[in-house]
Amino acid sequence: MNRSTPKLALLLFVLLVFVMLACQTLAPTPAPSTATTIPSTPPTEQATEAAIDLPPDPLAGTDGMGDSLYPDFGNGGYDTLTYTLDITINNVDTSELEATTTIEAIATQDLSRFNLDFAGFEITSLTVNEEAAEFERNGQELTVIPAQALSKDETFTVAVSYQGVPTPMTSQALPFPTGWIAYDGGIFVLSEPDGSASFYPVNDHPLDKATYTMIVTAPKPYEVAANGVLAETKDNGESTTYTFTVRDPMASYLTTININDFNIETMESDGGIPIRNYYAASLPDDINKPFARQGEMIDYFSELFGPYPFEVYGALVMDTEFGAALENQTMSIFGIDMVDLEDIEGSEAVVAHELAHQWFGDSVSVADWGDIWLNEGFASYSEGLWVEYDYGKDGLDEWVTAVYNEVKEYPDFYPPPGDPAANDLFNGGVYLRGGLTLHALRLEVGDDAFFEIIQTYYDRYKFGNATTENFIQIAEEVSGEDLGDFFDAWLFDEQLPPMP
């Protein structure tokens, strides 16, 4: 539909400021807490963390995946297939828990040892293929030495049992805590880019996606919301166990577990995608207003990009301010400060941004964090596409003009999106200048070629990973044009190019 208002340009400018931080993981530091003593595992499985002398070994998996910005993120030598997280929260106020994470993986080389990313906790048992394994830790690098060396192409199982309180982690990309965050009345998890290791052992890089089963037990009256489909709920008397399954490959940073007393809203898009929204029960009854059009958005973006990639979608709003929203796979999470009931359209822009990430960021994930504009630029431009849906071409033109003028006015805040700094990954440039890059491409090649480029890119790399070079290759393939200079100017030149 098309609507018009003389205040549209002002509205769009306000939206820019409101949404720029939409995916940044800015969270409050949790209150100090003390772990309750938990009985350890039997002596035959008891693990120790004594230092182990590890000389150089050509059969050792690397302690990083060679990311251009964060070379120590993730680990080499294996690909994970599945994670099963079995977590029991004994005290929601302190986050004291006990858990076992079981990982099925395949060795990509002969392995004498390998690493997992894991911070904090007391490890009470660690086995590889059901045999006790030695291990040592250096920071969040957990080195595992199996009793029997692993052969290339061998499928193996790692089980790590642990207990304690999650340790707050400060991201290498942002000076804020990430991962498992406790606040007054609940728990939430936002882990982009490196917080998942705060609550489970993991190969923590988007290149190594896996499927998940999450079995989370929480004391009553608390409820649990997590990624994927709720497969089972079990009443244990004083606690409840929730089992969620994620059957499509998921990058580790998108894993989320949230604990509170929730009001749950269900609906379905006209195209048949189930939607379940979780709102902290302490929030106002009308907190759901900005989320009412999610089904409309899913169907619209499915027409533009390709079919919605997952089994279910929904939003979760926690009753705390953490200055962010994050596109956790199948369940985007919002701080209450990202929802403004006095500005429903502004809040809808944030909802559209996080939803668009389900295609670009979650299904098609970056192969290297240096290409983050492929996530944030696409989601930011999707805000403009949602404006176009509501207001037509004139509305999109006003959106582009407002964004362009903002970026031009403050070049230091909006650097070229193709080369972000490691300590400023989520700078304004990867959002707004990244979005402008896509609109400029649309003007350069025309609407038909542009949307064919977007659909081809999504279809070719869905459930996998892509680079800027992959996107440029598809753009040139579909358009039949040499676009090297175009992308160099928009992604890497300090000077903002004129809009075509």
Side-chain angles (χ1 to χ4, degrees):
M1 61 183 163
N2 294 289
R3 294 179 292 173
S4 62
T5 169
K7 297 182 180 179
L8 179 58
L10 177 60
L11 168 67
L12 295 174
F13 178 77
V14 173
L15 299 191
L16 300 179
V17 178
F18 187 58
V19 176
M20 277 190 306
L21 299 181
C23 299
Q24 297 191 27
T25 34
L26 316 183
T29 303
S33 54
T34 304
T36 302
T37 302
I38 305 172
S40 63
T41 53
T44 55
E45 296 182 1
Q46 187 69 28
T48 62
E49 294 193 47
I52 300 171
D53 184 19
L54 297 176
D57 184 344
L59 299 184
T62 59
D63 58 3
M65 298 193 78
D67 190 272
S68 68
L69 296 183
Y70 314 109
D72 58 336
F73 279 19
N75 308 281
Y78 63 95
D79 285 330
T80 55
L81 303 174
T82 66
Y83 290 92
T84 300
L85 278 55
D86 190 346
I87 300 174
T88 298
I89 295 95
N90 296 312
N91 188 318
V92 173
D93 291 336
T94 64
S95 287
E96 183 266 312
L97 60 83
E98 53 188 314
T100 297
T101 292
T102 304
I103 304 167
E104 293 185 11
I106 185 168
T108 58
Q109 65 175 69
D110 291 340
L111 280 176
S112 60
R113 61 180 186 249
F114 58 90
N115 281 24
L116 295 166
D117 301 300
F118 190 44
F121 293 103
E122 175 194 357
I123 296 175
T124 57
S125 174
L126 197 158
T127 63
V128 177
N129 293 333
E130 301 185 341
E131 291 189 76
E134 294 182 286
F135 64 92
E136 74 161 14
R137 286 208 275 189
N138 180 12
Q140 72 179 59
E141 292 290 342
L142 170 61
T143 301
V144 179
I145 305 97
Q148 306 293 329
L150 302 170
S151 301
K152 182 179 180 181
D153 298 327
E154 178 182 352
T155 300
F156 63 97
T157 301
V158 184
V160 185
S161 296
Y162 49 99
Q163 62 189 20
V165 175
T167 301
M169 291 179 59
T170 299
S171 171
Q172 293 188 38
L174 287 166
F176 297 96
T178 60
W180 184 285
I181 306 293
Y183 72 99
D184 185 19
I187 292 166
F188 65 89
V189 171
L190 291 94
S191 294
E192 187 176 23
D194 56 345
S196 291
S198 71
F199 68 102
Y200 71 103
V202 58
N203 195 12
D204 202 8
H205 192 280
L207 275 175
D208 195 3
K209 295 184 175 186
T211 59
Y212 282 75
T213 298
M214 286 177 276
I215 306 164
V216 184
T217 301
K220 292 180 178 178
Y222 291 99
E223 298 169 294
V224 177
N227 311 84
V229 175
L230 178 58
E232 183 182 12
T233 303
K234 180 181 178 183
D235 188 335
N236 307 313
E238 295 185 355
S239 66
T240 308
T241 299
Y242 300 82
T243 300
F244 295 85
T245 58
V246 180
R247 287 183 279 258
D248 296 305
M250 182 167 70
S252 53
Y253 77 90
L254 298 169
T255 309
T256 190
I257 294 172
N258 308 278
I259 301 168
N260 207 315
D261 180 16
F262 294 110
N263 290 325
I264 304 173
E265 173 186 53
T266 60
M267 61 185 78
E268 187 173 278
S269 78
D270 287 345
I273 301 301
I275 298 169
R276 74 280 186 266
N277 298 322
Y278 291 78
Y279 308 104
S282 54
L283 293 172
D285 291 340
D286 56 353
I287 193 67
N288 62 344
K289 285 184 177 180
F291 302 92
R293 301 178 71 191
Q294 284 181 120
E296 220 178 326
M297 292 178 183
I298 289 172
D299 292 342
Y300 173 57
F301 288 154
S302 294
E303 291 178 8
L304 296 183
F305 307 148
Y308 177 73
F310 306 122
E311 295 179 89
V312 67
Y313 185 62
L316 182 144
V317 185
M318 301 298 282
D319 191 6
T320 186
E321 295 185 0
F322 51 88
L326 183 67
E327 66 276 10
N328 296 316
Q329 188 164 310
T330 74
M331 177 174 286
S332 296
I333 180 173
F334 298 76
I336 188 57
D337 46 343
M338 301 303 291
V339 181
D340 185 354
L341 295 178
E342 300 299 318
D343 180 11
I344 299 300
E345 286 190 329
S347 298
E348 281 183 354
V350 185
V351 173
H353 182 110
E354 306 307 328
L355 171 59
H357 273 308
Q358 302 300 309
W359 285 264
F360 305 112
D362 294 7
S363 182
V364 181
S365 302
V366 291
D368 186 282
W369 282 110
D371 291 323
I372 189 63
W373 83 274
L374 290 172
N375 291 10
E376 300 306 343
F378 275 66
S380 296
Y381 188 55
S382 295
E383 299 169 40
L385 294 174
W386 184 242
V387 169
E388 184 177 24
Y389 176 82
D390 266 352
Y391 293 97
K393 183 179 182 300
D394 289 344
L396 177 62
D397 288 345
E398 289 189 41
W399 184 90
V400 171
T401 299
V403 174
Y404 189 90
N405 290 340
E406 168 76 7
V407 173
K408 186 175 182 180
E409 181 72 15
Y410 303 102
D412 290 343
F413 193 71
Y414 301 101
D419 189 23
N423 64 351
D424 192 22
L425 182 64
F426 298 102
N427 65 72
V430 301
Y431 286 79
L432 297 194
R433 187 162 163 179
L436 287 176
T437 299
L438 293 172
H439 188 69
L441 176 64
R442 181 177 175 180
L443 296 178
E444 183 76 17
V445 302
D447 275 16
D448 289 346
F450 174 76
F451 286 106
E452 185 180 349
I453 289 167
I454 299 301
Q455 292 168 10
T456 303
Y457 171 68
Y458 166 68
D459 184 65
R460 191 169 298 177
Y461 293 103
K462 62 187 176 184
F463 307 121
N465 303 82
T467 65
T468 296
E469 289 74 19
N470 295 144
F471 180 69
I472 293 173
Q473 180 182 9
I474 287 175
E476 292 183 333
E477 172 189 319
V478 171
S479 68
E481 299 182 24
D482 182 348
L483 297 169
D485 290 342
F486 170 88
F487 281 108
D488 282 345
W490 279 96
L491 295 178
F492 300 105
D493 286 357
E494 292 293 330
Q495 182 69 35
L496 178 68
M499 191 60 68

PDB file of all heavy atoms in Angstrom, residues 40 83-84 153 161 181 198 220 228 242 281 290 292 311 359 398 434 465-466 486 493:
ATOM      1  N   SER A  40      30.165 -33.541  42.158  1.00  0.00           N
ATOM      2  CA  SER A  40      30.949 -33.779  40.951  1.00  0.00           C
ATOM      3  C   SER A  40      30.589 -35.117  40.335  1.00  0.00           C
ATOM      4  O   SER A  40      29.865 -35.920  40.919  1.00  0.00           O
ATOM      5  CB  SER A  40      32.445 -33.751  41.284  1.00  0.00           C
ATOM      6  OG  SER A  40      32.750 -34.796  42.174  1.00  0.00           O
ATOM      7  N   TYR A  83      25.269 -29.934  17.946  1.00  0.00           N
ATOM      8  CA  TYR A  83      25.470 -29.643  19.369  1.00  0.00           C
ATOM      9  C   TYR A  83      24.213 -30.065  20.116  1.00  0.00           C
ATOM     10  O   TYR A  83      23.090 -29.794  19.671  1.00  0.00           O
ATOM     11  CB  TYR A  83      25.667 -28.143  19.621  1.00  0.00           C
ATOM     12  CG  TYR A  83      26.957 -27.555  19.130  1.00  0.00           C
ATOM     13  CD1 TYR A  83      27.045 -27.000  17.846  1.00  0.00           C
ATOM     14  CD2 TYR A  83      28.089 -27.489  19.940  1.00  0.00           C
ATOM     15  CE1 TYR A  83      28.214 -26.423  17.396  1.00  0.00           C
ATOM     16  CE2 TYR A  83      29.269 -26.911  19.495  1.00  0.00           C
ATOM     17  CZ  TYR A  83      29.326 -26.382  18.215  1.00  0.00           C
ATOM     18  OH  TYR A  83      30.499 -25.801  17.764  1.00  0.00           O
ATOM     19  N   THR A  84      24.400 -30.696  21.263  1.00  0.00           N
ATOM     20  CA  THR A  84      23.307 -30.914  22.202  1.00  0.00           C
ATOM     21  C   THR A  84      23.685 -30.224  23.501  1.00  0.00           C
ATOM     22  O   THR A  84      24.659 -30.616  24.155  1.00  0.00           O
ATOM     23  CB  THR A  84      23.040 -32.404  22.444  1.00  0.00           C
ATOM     24  OG1 THR A  84      22.698 -33.035  21.205  1.00  0.00           O
ATOM     25  CG2 THR A  84      21.902 -32.596  23.431  1.00  0.00           C
ATOM     26  N   ASP A 153      38.495 -37.656   8.396  1.00  0.00           N
ATOM     27  CA  ASP A 153      37.157 -38.100   7.986  1.00  0.00           C
ATOM     28  C   ASP A 153      36.468 -38.959   9.047  1.00  0.00           C
ATOM     29  O   ASP A 153      35.362 -39.461   8.806  1.00  0.00           O
ATOM     30  CB  ASP A 153      37.186 -38.862   6.652  1.00  0.00           C
ATOM     31  CG  ASP A 153      37.687 -37.994   5.507  1.00  0.00           C
ATOM     32  OD1 ASP A 153      37.428 -36.781   5.530  1.00  0.00           O
ATOM     33  OD2 ASP A 153      38.353 -38.539   4.601  1.00  0.00           O
ATOM     34  N   SER A 161      31.137 -31.909  30.560  1.00  0.00           N
ATOM     35  CA  SER A 161      30.254 -31.567  31.671  1.00  0.00           C
ATOM     36  C   SER A 161      30.927 -30.491  32.509  1.00  0.00           C
ATOM     37  O   SER A 161      32.146 -30.530  32.743  1.00  0.00           O
ATOM     38  CB  SER A 161      29.968 -32.801  32.533  1.00  0.00           C
ATOM     39  OG  SER A 161      29.270 -33.779  31.780  1.00  0.00           O
ATOM     40  N   ILE A 181      23.926 -13.221  29.827  1.00  0.00           N
ATOM     41  CA  ILE A 181      23.800 -12.018  30.637  1.00  0.00           C
ATOM     42  C   ILE A 181      22.640 -12.179  31.611  1.00  0.00           C
ATOM     43  O   ILE A 181      21.507 -12.463  31.219  1.00  0.00           O
ATOM     44  CB  ILE A 181      23.537 -10.766  29.766  1.00  0.00           C
ATOM     45  CG1 ILE A 181      24.611 -10.622  28.674  1.00  0.00           C
ATOM     46  CG2 ILE A 181      23.453  -9.524  30.633  1.00  0.00           C
ATOM     47  CD1 ILE A 181      25.991 -10.310  29.180  1.00  0.00           C
ATOM     48  N   SER A 198      30.857 -18.210  26.401  1.00  0.00           N
ATOM     49  CA  SER A 198      30.587 -17.888  27.800  1.00  0.00           C
ATOM     50  C   SER A 198      29.675 -18.897  28.468  1.00  0.00           C
ATOM     51  O   SER A 198      29.568 -18.918  29.699  1.00  0.00           O
ATOM     52  CB  SER A 198      29.955 -16.491  27.903  1.00  0.00           C
ATOM     53  OG  SER A 198      28.620 -16.502  27.409  1.00  0.00           O
ATOM     54  N   LYS A 220      10.540 -23.328  38.374  1.00  0.00           N
ATOM     55  CA  LYS A 220       9.280 -22.610  38.239  1.00  0.00           C
ATOM     56  C   LYS A 220       9.319 -21.354  39.112  1.00  0.00           C
ATOM     57  O   LYS A 220       9.984 -21.331  40.153  1.00  0.00           O
ATOM     58  CB  LYS A 220       8.118 -23.512  38.650  1.00  0.00           C
ATOM     59  CG  LYS A 220       7.889 -24.673  37.710  1.00  0.00           C
ATOM     60  CD  LYS A 220       6.719 -25.525  38.174  1.00  0.00           C
ATOM     61  CE  LYS A 220       6.455 -26.674  37.203  1.00  0.00           C
ATOM     62  NZ  LYS A 220       5.349 -27.542  37.663  1.00  0.00           N
ATOM     63  N   GLY A 228      14.675 -22.076  17.333  1.00  0.00           N
ATOM     64  CA  GLY A 228      14.100 -23.269  16.734  1.00  0.00           C
ATOM     65  C   GLY A 228      12.697 -23.572  17.198  1.00  0.00           C
ATOM     66  O   GLY A 228      11.941 -22.714  17.662  1.00  0.00           O
ATOM     67  N   TYR A 242      12.539 -27.703  28.895  1.00  0.00           N
ATOM     68  CA  TYR A 242      12.126 -27.329  27.541  1.00  0.00           C
ATOM     69  C   TYR A 242      13.163 -27.865  26.556  1.00  0.00           C
ATOM     70  O   TYR A 242      14.371 -27.686  26.755  1.00  0.00           O
ATOM     71  CB  TYR A 242      12.058 -25.808  27.401  1.00  0.00           C
ATOM     72  CG  TYR A 242      11.080 -25.140  28.349  1.00  0.00           C
ATOM     73  CD1 TYR A 242      11.437 -24.870  29.667  1.00  0.00           C
ATOM     74  CD2 TYR A 242       9.816 -24.769  27.913  1.00  0.00           C
ATOM     75  CE1 TYR A 242      10.553 -24.252  30.535  1.00  0.00           C
ATOM     76  CE2 TYR A 242       8.914 -24.140  28.777  1.00  0.00           C
ATOM     77  CZ  TYR A 242       9.295 -23.885  30.084  1.00  0.00           C
ATOM     78  OH  TYR A 242       8.406 -23.270  30.943  1.00  0.00           O
ATOM     79  N   ALA A 281       6.495 -10.844  30.842  1.00  0.00           N
ATOM     80  CA  ALA A 281       5.146 -10.620  31.355  1.00  0.00           C
ATOM     81  C   ALA A 281       5.010  -9.276  32.059  1.00  0.00           C
ATOM     82  O   ALA A 281       3.893  -8.758  32.194  1.00  0.00           O
ATOM     83  CB  ALA A 281       4.771 -11.759  32.309  1.00  0.00           C
ATOM     84  N   PRO A 290       4.428  -3.144  17.650  1.00  0.00           N
ATOM     85  CA  PRO A 290       5.404  -3.042  16.556  1.00  0.00           C
ATOM     86  C   PRO A 290       5.691  -4.367  15.847  1.00  0.00           C
ATOM     87  O   PRO A 290       6.326  -4.384  14.803  1.00  0.00           O
ATOM     88  CB  PRO A 290       6.671  -2.525  17.256  1.00  0.00           C
ATOM     89  CG  PRO A 290       6.193  -1.910  18.521  1.00  0.00           C
ATOM     90  CD  PRO A 290       5.027  -2.740  18.929  1.00  0.00           C
ATOM     91  N   ALA A 292       3.218  -6.624  15.041  1.00  0.00           N
ATOM     92  CA  ALA A 292       1.979  -7.143  14.456  1.00  0.00           C
ATOM     93  C   ALA A 292       2.116  -7.453  12.973  1.00  0.00           C
ATOM     94  O   ALA A 292       1.392  -8.299  12.436  1.00  0.00           O
ATOM     95  CB  ALA A 292       0.845  -6.144  14.681  1.00  0.00           C
ATOM     96  N   GLU A 311      12.148 -22.839   9.726  1.00  0.00           N
ATOM     97  CA  GLU A 311      10.855 -23.459  10.040  1.00  0.00           C
ATOM     98  C   GLU A 311       9.905 -22.527  10.769  1.00  0.00           C
ATOM     99  O   GLU A 311       8.684 -22.742  10.756  1.00  0.00           O
ATOM    100  CB  GLU A 311      11.083 -24.692  10.924  1.00  0.00           C
ATOM    101  CG  GLU A 311      11.832 -25.822  10.260  1.00  0.00           C
ATOM    102  CD  GLU A 311      12.024 -26.976  11.220  1.00  0.00           C
ATOM    103  OE1 GLU A 311      11.140 -27.849  11.269  1.00  0.00           O
ATOM    104  OE2 GLU A 311      13.048 -27.015  11.932  1.00  0.00           O
ATOM    105  N   TRP A 359      17.643 -13.964   6.324  1.00  0.00           N
ATOM    106  CA  TRP A 359      18.192 -14.306   5.007  1.00  0.00           C
ATOM    107  C   TRP A 359      19.693 -13.981   4.959  1.00  0.00           C
ATOM    108  O   TRP A 359      20.501 -14.837   4.580  1.00  0.00           O
ATOM    109  CB  TRP A 359      17.481 -13.516   3.914  1.00  0.00           C
ATOM    110  CG  TRP A 359      16.111 -13.956   3.548  1.00  0.00           C
ATOM    111  CD1 TRP A 359      15.759 -14.788   2.506  1.00  0.00           C
ATOM    112  CD2 TRP A 359      14.876 -13.590   4.183  1.00  0.00           C
ATOM    113  NE1 TRP A 359      14.396 -14.949   2.450  1.00  0.00           N
ATOM    114  CE2 TRP A 359      13.823 -14.217   3.468  1.00  0.00           C
ATOM    115  CE3 TRP A 359      14.551 -12.780   5.276  1.00  0.00           C
ATOM    116  CZ2 TRP A 359      12.486 -14.065   3.821  1.00  0.00           C
ATOM    117  CZ3 TRP A 359      13.219 -12.629   5.629  1.00  0.00           C
ATOM    118  CH2 TRP A 359      12.203 -13.273   4.909  1.00  0.00           C
ATOM    119  N   GLU A 398      13.152   9.302  -0.441  1.00  0.00           N
ATOM    120  CA  GLU A 398      13.379  10.140   0.738  1.00  0.00           C
ATOM    121  C   GLU A 398      14.269   9.424   1.744  1.00  0.00           C
ATOM    122  O   GLU A 398      15.120  10.044   2.389  1.00  0.00           O
ATOM    123  CB  GLU A 398      12.041  10.518   1.373  1.00  0.00           C
ATOM    124  CG  GLU A 398      11.219  11.507   0.551  1.00  0.00           C
ATOM    125  CD  GLU A 398      10.012  12.015   1.329  1.00  0.00           C
ATOM    126  OE1 GLU A 398      10.159  12.286   2.537  1.00  0.00           O
ATOM    127  OE2 GLU A 398       8.939  12.143   0.726  1.00  0.00           O
ATOM    128  N   GLY A 434      26.876   0.699   3.872  1.00  0.00           N
ATOM    129  CA  GLY A 434      26.632  -0.610   3.272  1.00  0.00           C
ATOM    130  C   GLY A 434      25.278  -0.671   2.601  1.00  0.00           C
ATOM    131  O   GLY A 434      25.127  -1.206   1.489  1.00  0.00           O
ATOM    132  N   ASN A 465      28.069 -19.921   3.724  1.00  0.00           N
ATOM    133  CA  ASN A 465      28.850 -18.705   3.985  1.00  0.00           C
ATOM    134  C   ASN A 465      29.246 -18.062   2.674  1.00  0.00           C
ATOM    135  O   ASN A 465      29.392 -18.749   1.653  1.00  0.00           O
ATOM    136  CB  ASN A 465      30.112 -19.045   4.783  1.00  0.00           C
ATOM    137  CG  ASN A 465      29.808 -19.749   6.089  1.00  0.00           C
ATOM    138  OD1 ASN A 465      29.589 -20.951   6.112  1.00  0.00           O
ATOM    139  ND2 ASN A 465      29.792 -19.006   7.173  1.00  0.00           N
ATOM    140  N   ALA A 466      29.447 -16.751   2.725  1.00  0.00           N
ATOM    141  CA  ALA A 466      29.826 -16.022   1.518  1.00  0.00           C
ATOM    142  C   ALA A 466      30.770 -14.882   1.872  1.00  0.00           C
ATOM    143  O   ALA A 466      30.868 -14.458   3.036  1.00  0.00           O
ATOM    144  CB  ALA A 466      28.588 -15.482   0.802  1.00  0.00           C
ATOM    145  N   PHE A 486      33.119   0.113  -9.424  1.00  0.00           N
ATOM    146  CA  PHE A 486      31.936   0.508  -8.659  1.00  0.00           C
ATOM    147  C   PHE A 486      32.060   0.039  -7.208  1.00  0.00           C
ATOM    148  O   PHE A 486      31.894   0.838  -6.271  1.00  0.00           O
ATOM    149  CB  PHE A 486      30.678  -0.099  -9.310  1.00  0.00           C
ATOM    150  CG  PHE A 486      29.431   0.049  -8.483  1.00  0.00           C
ATOM    151  CD1 PHE A 486      28.640   1.165  -8.599  1.00  0.00           C
ATOM    152  CD2 PHE A 486      29.069  -0.951  -7.573  1.00  0.00           C
ATOM    153  CE1 PHE A 486      27.497   1.312  -7.811  1.00  0.00           C
ATOM    154  CE2 PHE A 486      27.927  -0.823  -6.799  1.00  0.00           C
ATOM    155  CZ  PHE A 486      27.145   0.312  -6.911  1.00  0.00           C
ATOM    156  N   ASP A 493      36.728   3.224  -0.861  1.00  0.00           N
ATOM    157  CA  ASP A 493      37.227   4.586  -0.969  1.00  0.00           C
ATOM    158  C   ASP A 493      36.781   5.414   0.225  1.00  0.00           C
ATOM    159  O   ASP A 493      35.627   5.323   0.654  1.00  0.00           O
ATOM    160  CB  ASP A 493      36.731   5.257  -2.251  1.00  0.00           C
ATOM    161  CG  ASP A 493      37.444   4.744  -3.492  1.00  0.00           C
ATOM    162  OD1 ASP A 493      38.356   3.911  -3.337  1.00  0.00           O
ATOM    163  OD2 ASP A 493      37.081   5.181  -4.611  1.00  0.00           O
TER     164      ASP A 493
END
